[in-house]
Amino acid sequence: MAITPAAPCHGCAANRDEVLVQLGISPGRFDYLVALAGNPNTGKSTIFNSLTGLRQHTGNWPGKTVARADGGYQHADHRFKLVDLPGTYSLQAGSPDEEVARDFILFGQPDVTVVVVDATRLERNLNLVLQILEITDRVVVDLNLVDEARRHGIAIDERKLATELGVPVVPTVARTGEGIPALREAVYRVANGETATRPYRIADYPPELEAAVDKLVPLIEDTYPELPNSRWVALRLLNKDERVEDAVRTGEIGVLASDAAAAATGLSTGRGGSRPEVASISHATAGSLALAEGQVEPASPGQAILRRTEQLRWQLSPDYHDALTRRFFEAAHEIAQSASATGLRKTKFDLDRTLDRIFTNRWLGFPLMLLMLAAVFWITIAGANLPSRMLGVLLIDNLHPILSNFGASIGLPGWLNGLLFDGIYLATAWVIAVMLPPMAIFFPLFTLLEDFGYLPRVAFNLDSLFRRAGAHGKQALTMCMGFGCNAAGVVATRVIDSPRERLIAIITNNFSLCNGRWPTQILIATIFIGALAPAHLAGLVSATAVVGVALLGIFSMFLTSWFLSRTMLRGEATTFSLELPPYRPPRILQTLYTSLIDRTFIVLWRAIVFAAPAGAVIWLVANVSVGGASLAEHFISWSNPFGLLIGLNGVILLAYIVAIPANEIVIPTVLMLTVLTSAAVAGVGEGAGVMFELESAASMGVLLQTAGWTTLTGVNLMLFSLLHNPCSTTLYTIYKETGSARWTAVSALLPLAMGFAVCFVVAQVWRIVG
Amino acid sequence: MNPVFSLLIFLATSAVLVAIFWPRTGLIARLSRYRRLEERVLIEDTLKHMYNCEYAGRRATEESLAGFLETSIGHAVRTLARGEEMGFLRFEGLEPVLTKEGQQYALRVLRAHRLLERYMADRTGVDPVEWHAEADRLEHTLSRDDAEGLASRLGHPLYDPHGDPIPTAAGGIPPMEGQPLATLDEGEIARIVHLEDEPPELFNEIVAAGLGPGMRLRLLDTSLNEVQFEADGRVHRLSPAVASRITVVPAGEAVQLPTHSLADLEPGESGQVLGISPILQGPQRRRLLDLGVVPGTEIRAEFESSAGDPVAYLIRGALIALRRDQASLIQLVAEPEVDDAAAGRLEGAEA
């Protein structure tokens, strides 16, 4: 780390590097370390992205499942490393997120801490700023969302705010990038010491804390007379600040305190008293050196201070903490009031409230919700139909034969040709054709609703229903996302910050019938259930059956949530709070564009990573022969008895095993395997190992029925398609989000066990009755 | 296979699996509890019991120990003898007394126990009635380093959720204070400082009544078979046996007893926060504090959800939705009462 004369040395540089490694940052290769902190939902990630561009790296904090991103940027010929801390409301270390944030600022000692503040909620956000100012001087406040503030008639005087807080305040609009260059400059100036900060320190704490400080300060001043800020040290000790404690114990406190003084470069600082001038700093350094040489003796003066601190802490009332928090909020209130003017535009405020009244109205609320969701689903299904078909024609009907022939023409051996083009390529193409259009429509629509601010109101309305099942209202949203894609639904559970409710949402997300399973459901319903009804009602009947299965899924979700919260997840922590942000006009085109691109990449990535190997396995299983029959045939005949017992058959079981990667390829695989193993329908299709579908549902129905499928098989296939283990993408995502092999296993096995049990019971009852 | 047959086999197997694996009442859960009867566990529990007695100013006896360990008196005697052998206690005449080593050991176990209870209260959703039993089970497995790490993560708490002080790593612990509830003057307002968690049945009754350390109450009446007091806007009646489990400290003159909560507000009404009920601890409490629910804050109820619960409140400039059970634990300052006498005089004068 480059140490310029103007930048004070942070105690032992070597020590800090060690600590940084523990916190997961590789030392060196940067000039300045910058931490990015702030409340959740302040646009912090947008700021992070604006500053680092694509030069970022995501992962987890060591030993925790808290996500982390870090990146870098260049400014004024210096390299800055930026670490994105989790969004937190405070630093009280009550949750893993807060522990991570506090530990990093306290022990990692970043050169600058940038706190992103929401201009529309200044007072609440200042609580975190003031807490951060208690433990570090080198802070820059990023006043974000100033455009939103303007829209709501709030004007903030950033110069006044900066004067009050004693640190630079930079207004930004993260969405457009306004203010980012100024932010970089402000960070640089604080990092290299050009800007001296005089951070606001609360002058009068609650009386009992002040009394304790008054008793402790004389002892500290006696022991370390040259310390310029004994009051700050006393407060930190009473708050059990471990770093300061260690420094007092070893005598290093002289160095640490001189840092805090040096940051103010010798000016008289703090509002709680004056500090001696520059001379004291050199004294402090000399004093600390003497102390360091003296080293730690058993009954060192530092120990005496710590013992006294312990006694004083016992005298504080058990809820002194509440009084302390209140003091922070009072200070935040004063500062916010003096620096902002509100109510400049009355009309906008009323619009928000009117919308709220409509969306949460007792009579209108639920119907409006159902209408919105129905609209989203209908647009997705209707809109994806044509593009899916076109993609299918392009990739499968046209490209596939071309590639096959090409392979043959360049002399590829038959098996390699088959493996590459019939297996791998075909599976990948299938997944893309089936998945891409619906995902590209469903998710942008959802993101629009989210941007607009409607989704939290949905969670608000449905919360009491979910609470009875032991879950959180926001699970309604992740459940809806799951109807698009279960993996996306699992990622969406990040908005649930209560650990138990989050786990419940993750494990039960699979019961939302994802886009990949709709074709299976619709097809089987048409063949086996619609066929039972008179022709003019067939369509309606099969649609009802599919909706029925989806509703069964939702019911299973509630049931499983309730079950989990009463048994396996009983002891996990729970916190509920739901913030209802103001409504925001969505930037329709921009959102559609970004969401579209995002989704396309994800689908392509998933197709290549998961579907391609599946295609290989499918082809191999059908073509590799052992003892005269293919592996597929062996497995199917072996598992058929069990399959029949639960109302399915060996073909379906094998198809589901090889299609763990992707639900979309279940039907084509089933058809291929049926042809492979059933003499009655041999000759149909494209050959062993080549997935296919027929033109009409009716012809597929004939094929299956000839091979021995009954209505029971169809019904149970629909049920099993709903209640089986999540696809491999979802499992992988669950593992990454929870960091726990145990919960991933539960997510996989619980639905599977339910599927087997339900199919079994249905089959027995069917056979008894029918 | 005959479907009826297979169904029956399936149901039978399910029943057996449930009986074995169901948490807490299943076979496996019960078996793991019986593993507690190891010697080390017995010794530690003995020292803990002796320490608790001495802290309260009493002496442990063979009978009290037998009751505490839930074993026979003979077993208790043998355990005491073993403890003497190991140097943790000595006998003064017939009474067992802790040695210095015994005291330190007991404090370490106590520290582990109370830290675990604090952890369960603050970081998990474990039911309050289970804290003691769970901490009892786990305290023997916590090493000194483990305890330090736990204390650090929790921010070095001073008290456990029952109001008992958590001994520091160096063994520091403040002296016991407070008086039994029934000894207060009638009408006196006091703060609960301690709830005795042994025996569990009495403690569960206290928890079921919605009482916890830190809560304020006003003694109304004591009689031979019942103790009456007001807390949380309700009148509580407890038997003297249960009430003896509650230790209080008088709160002084200027203290207000909370009567209203946020849940009493209708949409459009606002109130000033008095505090968050001490019953609410842990992550829930912290989250509310972080959102600005501190004494003195003005909160206005804005609108209800379609289902009636949760309700959206305006707190420090942000719209936050809270469930009714949370809102009922946020205490509000009582509205100033209308002076009825003065109002009557005015009306009389006008007439």
Side-chain angles (χ1 to χ4, degrees):
Chain A
M1 179 188 118
I3 302 175
T4 64
C9 165
H10 284 266
C12 326
N15 216 356
R16 176 177 122 159
D17 280 351
E18 250 173 62
V19 173
L20 284 180
V21 167
Q22 270 171 23
L23 290 170
I25 310 272
S26 48
R29 302 205 292 138
F30 57 84
D31 300 316
Y32 295 115
L33 182 63
V34 181
L36 193 62
N39 275 188
N41 298 321
T42 47
K44 194 157 60 69
S45 359
T46 320
I47 298 279
F48 181 75
N49 289 332
S50 306
L51 285 172
T52 59
L54 285 171
R55 286 161 59 210
Q56 47 175 273
H57 159 261
T58 55
N60 278 353
W61 288 89
K64 297 206 154 72
T65 55
V66 180
R68 167 167 115 210
D70 59 73
Y73 65 91
Q74 291 253 40
H75 179 78
D77 291 328
H78 285 89
R79 292 159 304 165
F80 291 80
K81 189 171 181 79
L82 187 64
V83 175
D84 188 16
L85 299 177
T88 56
Y89 289 108
S90 86
L91 291 184
Q92 306 298 348
S95 65
D97 281 13
E98 288 171 359
E99 269 178 48
V100 159
R102 188 202 61 168
D103 284 351
F104 190 79
I105 300 179
L106 205 52
F107 298 111
Q109 296 175 46
D111 295 296
V112 184
T113 306
V114 176
V115 189
V116 181
V117 157
D118 180 350
T120 60
R121 293 220 220 348
L122 187 58
E123 196 174 311
R124 220 250 327 275
N125 280 235
L126 281 182
N127 177 30
L128 180 64
V129 174
L130 291 176
Q131 286 186 33
I132 293 180
L133 287 177
E134 289 288 307
I135 54 181
T136 170
D137 288 352
R138 297 145 72 96
V139 170
V140 170
V141 170
D142 174 351
L143 190 65
N144 199 20
L145 297 169
V146 285
D147 56 338
E148 283 299 302
R150 256 179 259 135
R151 220 167 48 80
H152 281 96
I154 303 174
I156 301 189
D157 183 347
E158 66 269 6
R159 264 178 306 215
K160 185 100 203 296
L161 190 59
T163 316
E164 292 282 328
L165 290 175
V167 295
V169 173
V170 181
T172 59
V173 181
R175 289 217 272 192
T176 60
E178 213 178 294
I180 299 288
L183 182 63
R184 288 207 189 107
E185 184 61 24
V187 168
Y188 175 54
R189 294 238 184 97
V190 172
N192 67 15
E194 253 180 75
T195 306
T197 58
R198 302 171 27 165
Y200 179 93
R201 292 272 156 77
I202 295 190
D204 50 340
Y205 281 95
E208 56 175 349
L209 198 52
E210 285 288 342
V213 168
D214 285 342
K215 293 198 187 105
L216 196 51
V217 163
L219 182 56
I220 298 178
E221 285 182 340
D222 276 343
T223 320
Y224 303 112
E226 61 295 314
L227 263 194
N229 53 354
S230 46
R231 184 186 145 87
W232 179 80
V233 174
L235 282 165
R236 294 276 89 225
L237 284 176
L238 286 166
N239 271 306
K240 255 315 191 171
D241 182 328
E242 289 173 40
R243 189 176 58 133
V244 175
E245 247 183 29
D246 281 340
V248 166
R249 190 178 297 120
T250 61
E252 213 196 308
I253 187 66
V255 181
L256 210 59
S258 72
D259 279 358
T265 51
L267 297 172
S268 98
T269 56
R271 317 248 156 133
S274 62
R275 295 188 196 177
E277 294 287 301
V278 185
S280 77
I281 298 176
S282 54
H283 275 165
T285 336
S288 73
L289 279 176
L291 280 166
E293 276 159 23
Q295 282 319 312
V296 185
E297 305 144 68
S300 74
Q303 298 280 34
I305 297 180
L306 293 179
R307 260 202 302 276
R308 188 83 179 99
T309 310
E310 198 179 283
Q311 282 169 354
L312 289 168
R313 282 191 83 223
W314 282 118
Q315 287 169 20
L316 298 170
S317 64
D319 51 1
Y320 87 94
H321 194 71
D322 283 17
L324 190 59
T325 313
R326 176 190 190 164
R327 193 66 200 86
F328 274 106
F329 268 107
E330 281 169 8
H333 180 76
E334 277 163 34
I335 298 176
Q337 290 288 79
S338 74
S340 57
T342 59
L344 299 176
R345 243 152 143 226
K346 295 254 161 57
T347 48
K348 281 294 176 178
F349 187 82
D350 287 332
L351 177 64
D352 268 30
R353 225 25 106 240
T354 317
L355 281 173
D356 274 327
R357 294 256 152 72
I358 298 176
F359 288 135
T360 64
N361 184 288
R362 198 180 326 172
W363 308 117
L364 287 179
F366 283 117
L368 268 177
M369 247 168 28
L370 288 172
L371 210 64
M372 282 266 191
L373 286 172
V376 169
F377 288 150
W378 185 83
I379 296 177
T380 307
I381 299 180
N385 211 358
L386 193 57
S388 266
R389 212 146 356 132
M390 280 167 39
L391 271 175
V393 163
L394 172 67
L395 294 174
I396 298 172
D397 296 343
N398 291 340
L399 260 183
H400 177 225
I402 294 177
L403 285 171
S404 258
N405 294 332
F406 169 72
S409 68
I410 64 169
L412 280 182
W415 65 267
L416 189 57
N417 201 346
L419 182 65
L420 283 177
F421 301 122
D422 295 336
I424 297 180
Y425 170 77
L426 204 53
T428 316
W430 215 291
V431 165
I432 294 176
V434 174
M435 274 306 266
L436 190 52
M439 296 267 272
I441 298 177
F442 186 87
F443 285 106
L445 285 177
F446 226 73
T447 315
L448 276 179
L449 282 179
E450 190 178 7
D451 270 1
F452 173 53
Y454 177 64
L455 290 186
R457 272 79 183 171
V458 171
F460 184 61
N461 281 336
L462 291 176
D463 181 66
S464 71
L465 194 58
F466 279 87
R467 181 174 47 92
R468 275 184 257 266
H472 190 295
K474 287 186 185 168
Q475 190 168 318
L477 304 175
T478 63
M479 178 188 81
C480 289
M481 288 282 261
F483 276 104
C485 169
N486 289 130
V490 168
V491 169
T493 61
R494 282 186 195 162
V495 296
I496 303 176
D497 46 21
S498 166
R500 173 169 97 172
E501 274 85 349
R502 185 164 177 228
L503 266 175
I504 293 180
I506 289 179
I507 297 176
T508 57
N509 194 273
N510 190 49
F511 296 118
S512 301
L513 206 59
C514 70
N515 265 335
R517 295 185 259 177
W518 291 358
T520 310
Q521 296 282 340
I522 295 174
L523 183 66
I524 300 294
T526 312
I527 295 176
F528 289 98
I529 301 187
L532 297 175
H536 61 280
L537 284 179
L540 186 62
V541 167
S542 30
T544 314
V546 176
V547 169
V549 171
L551 288 176
L552 180 65
I554 297 180
F555 173 73
S556 310
M557 181 206 68
F558 277 116
L559 191 66
T560 314
S561 302
W562 179 87
F563 172 75
L564 285 173
S565 68
R566 291 276 183 285
T567 57
M568 281 189 262
L569 286 174
R570 230 186 144 126
E572 305 279 329
T574 171
T575 57
F576 175 80
S577 69
L578 178 63
E579 193 164 339
L580 300 174
Y583 292 101
R584 219 181 277 192
R587 295 161 304 141
I588 300 184
L589 288 177
Q590 196 161 353
T591 309
L592 286 178
Y593 178 72
T594 2
S595 197
L596 196 73
I597 303 289
D598 272 344
R599 286 293 133 192
T600 310
F601 277 129
I602 292 176
V603 170
L604 289 177
W605 169 82
R606 173 171 168 260
I608 296 171
V609 172
F610 293 104
V617 168
I618 293 174
W619 191 88
L620 286 171
V621 143
N623 282 289
V624 170
S625 294
V626 173
S630 64
L631 289 174
E633 284 163 294
H634 281 300
F635 182 85
I636 290 172
S637 49
W638 174 78
S639 65
N640 216 21
F642 175 67
L644 288 172
L645 180 68
I646 60 175
L648 299 169
N649 56 44
V651 164
I652 297 178
L653 289 178
L654 180 58
Y656 266 100
I657 293 177
V658 295
I660 283 182
N663 283 294
E664 302 90 323
I665 50 181
V666 165
I667 289 288
T669 311
V670 160
L671 290 174
M672 181 270 287
L673 289 174
T674 308
V675 168
L676 191 66
T677 55
S678 172
V681 288
V684 188
E686 314 272 324
V690 185
M691 306 184 296
F692 71 96
E693 263 185 13
L694 293 175
E695 275 311 307
S696 72
S699 42
M700 286 193 265
V702 168
L703 195 161
L704 292 171
Q705 274 155 348
T706 319
W709 287 40
T710 64
T711 314
L712 171 64
T713 320
V715 167
N716 269 10
L717 179 53
M718 286 176 77
L719 289 174
F720 193 67
S721 163
L722 175 72
L723 299 170
H724 74 285
N725 54 289
C727 72
S728 51
T729 317
T730 309
L731 282 174
Y732 173 71
T733 312
I734 293 177
Y735 182 65
K736 277 214 309 177
E737 290 292 311
T738 61
S740 155
R742 177 178 170 223
W743 291 120
T744 312
V746 170
S747 314
L749 296 175
L750 186 61
L752 193 60
M754 283 173 73
F756 281 139
V758 168
C759 285
F760 175 81
V761 171
V762 167
Q764 309 316 314
V765 171
W766 189 286
R767 285 174 188 149
I768 295 175
V769 169
Chain B
M1 202 204 273
N2 185 347
V4 178
F5 212 48
S6 5
L7 256 180
L8 286 175
I9 296 184
F10 174 70
L11 287 171
T13 325
S14 310
V16 168
L17 285 175
V18 163
I20 298 182
F21 288 104
W22 200 257
R24 284 188 322 134
T25 47
L27 202 60
I28 296 207
R30 284 186 202 266
L31 279 176
S32 69
R33 281 211 290 274
Y34 289 138
R35 286 199 295 146
R36 274 200 296 150
L37 296 180
E38 295 167 13
E39 184 189 74
R40 194 189 104 168
V41 171
L42 277 174
I43 295 289
E44 287 183 358
D45 281 343
T46 305
L47 296 178
K48 220 175 46 164
H49 173 72
M50 287 177 67
Y51 184 84
N52 280 333
C53 291
E54 291 178 17
Y55 188 69
R58 310 193 297 270
R59 282 285 170 86
T61 63
E62 278 137 18
E63 288 83 14
S64 71
L65 182 61
F68 180 74
L69 294 176
E70 288 176 9
T71 60
S72 64
I73 296 204
H75 200 190
V77 168
R78 281 196 298 279
T79 313
L80 282 173
R82 190 81 187 91
E84 193 189 12
E85 267 176 52
M86 295 168 89
F88 294 131
L89 58 97
R90 60 173 200 280
F91 280 93
E92 280 179 7
L94 291 175
E95 289 180 338
V97 165
L98 285 174
T99 59
K100 194 131 196 313
E101 289 77 27
Q103 259 187 0
Q104 281 174 353
Y105 195 167
L107 275 173
R108 279 209 302 279
V109 177
L110 206 55
R111 174 173 162 78
H113 180 100
R114 291 180 179 168
L115 277 174
L116 284 165
E117 285 190 347
R118 182 87 259 166
Y119 173 74
M120 280 187 277
D122 282 4
R123 298 290 184 100
T124 73
V126 173
D127 212 70
V129 306
E130 296 180 43
W131 292 338
H132 186 71
E134 276 301 298
D136 254 350
R137 196 171 62 84
L138 293 168
E139 72 197 0
H140 306 290
T141 61
L142 219 61
S143 75
R144 212 188 291 205
D145 285 338
D146 287 340
E148 256 325 288
L150 188 58
S152 174
R153 278 185 62 197
L154 294 172
H156 297 275
L158 292 169
Y159 295 95
D160 80 0
H162 297 124
D164 294 322
I166 301 179
T168 61
I173 188 167
M176 173 116 151
E177 56 165 13
Q179 61 194 91
L181 170 59
T183 61
L184 286 174
D185 296 330
E186 255 182 50
E188 196 175 354
I189 297 185
R191 189 168 55 92
I192 301 180
V193 292
H194 173 74
L195 295 174
E196 187 61 50
D197 45 19
E198 303 272 355
E201 300 78 29
L202 296 185
F203 176 69
N204 293 348
E205 248 194 79
I206 300 177
V207 168
L211 302 169
M215 273 186 76
R216 299 205 191 115
L217 49 82
R218 176 193 286 126
L219 184 68
L220 295 173
D221 188 40
T222 51
S223 67
L224 266 179
N225 33 16
E226 134 179 314
V227 174
Q228 245 186 61
F229 59 94
E230 182 192 347
D232 236 11
R234 296 192 344 250
V235 173
H236 295 262
R237 293 185 175 77
L238 296 177
S239 68
V242 177
S244 69
R245 267 45 224 143
I246 303 177
T247 314
V248 298
V249 158
E253 298 295 314
V255 169
Q256 222 188 30
L257 211 58
T259 46
H260 291 328
S261 76
L262 196 62
D264 296 332
L265 292 180
E266 296 288 320
E269 293 181 355
S270 55
Q272 196 186 69
V273 175
L274 176 66
I276 305 177
S277 169
I279 298 279
L280 194 58
Q281 291 291 334
Q284 273 286 22
R285 186 192 190 85
R286 246 192 307 276
R287 173 51 56 82
L288 286 177
L289 287 173
D290 288 340
L291 290 174
V293 181
V294 289
T297 305
E298 262 315 297
I299 301 185
R300 188 169 82 212
E302 291 286 327
F303 52 87
E304 301 180 352
S305 90
S306 299
D309 180 17
V311 176
Y313 298 96
L314 195 62
I315 305 177
R316 300 222 172 233
L319 208 54
I320 310 280
L322 295 174
R323 293 173 172 168
R324 275 200 199 278
D325 56 13
Q326 291 169 296
S328 65
L329 292 174
I330 298 176
Q331 298 157 345
L332 295 179
V333 171
E335 281 110 53
E337 284 167 19
V338 178
D339 190 337
D340 288 312
R345 260 182 276 126
L346 271 174
E347 281 184 37
E350 275 171 19

